[in-house]
Amino acid sequence: GRRVNSPSDDPAAAALSVQNASQAAQTDGFLQSISSITARLQTADSTLNSVVLALQQAVNLGVQGATGTQSAQDRIAIASAVDGIAQNVLGLANTSFPGTYLFAGTADKSAPFVSDPASGARYQGNDGVNQAAIDEGRSVATNVPGSRIFCSDSAGVFQALHDLSAALK
């Protein structure tokens, strides 16, 4: 019941059929890529929401510790809580998504941040941005390097948490 059973029946129609099959396979690949990108970005979004909540908690602790009503012992306890938040944020900054670290730039095979006693944490990733094809000739960024999120020229997130803890102590 088919008009073209072999390429010799209608070479032009056979070529069109092969082209259509190739385009369908390519579209399936793009759809899988988009699905993977969506899951990756949802994980990054959730992680960053957790970071924001942790930083808000650190700000609240800093305000609490800055009041003149806290004893030295209370400020040390608050500093300890800030240190815990810093460790939590470090863990979040090192979040991985099946086999790659979300905030490591293109150096996504190893943890982007390591603990550093002088500044809280040090960035070991790079500033590269991973790209993924979503259509023929079109790609999107699938990450933002941790250096752009957690670090800055003057003081990054980890330095601020480290300084807050030191000031409370």
Side-chain angles (χ1 to χ4, degrees), residues 44-60 85 88-89 92 149-150 157 161:
D45 183 55
S46 174
T47 300
L48 292 175
N49 282 333
S50 296
V51 169
V52 168
L53 292 173
L55 294 176
Q56 287 172 338
Q57 185 181 12
V59 167
N60 291 339
I85 289 171
N88 182 39
V89 171
L92 291 167
I149 299 170
F150 299 97
V157 169
L161 290 169

Side-chain angles (χ1 to χ4, degrees), residues 72-153:
Q73 196 72 4
D74 292 337
R75 285 192 308 277
I76 289 173
I78 293 170
S80 179
V82 170
D83 291 340
I85 289 171
Q87 287 304 306
N88 182 39
V89 171
L90 178 62
L92 291 167
N94 285 329
T95 298
S96 63
F97 182 81
T100 61
Y101 288 90
L102 293 176
F103 306 113
T106 56
D108 58 8
K109 298 301 179 199
S110 60
F113 290 93
V114 293
S115 186
D116 181 359
S119 63
R122 184 172 26 89
Y123 186 63
Q124 295 189 139
N126 63 33
D127 292 332
V129 176
N130 294 313
Q131 300 282 327
I134 59 166
D135 193 4
E136 193 170 324
R138 293 172 63 187
S139 62
V140 296
T142 61
N143 70 322
V144 175
S147 59
R148 294 187 196 167
I149 299 170
F150 299 97
C151 306
S152 73
D153 292 338

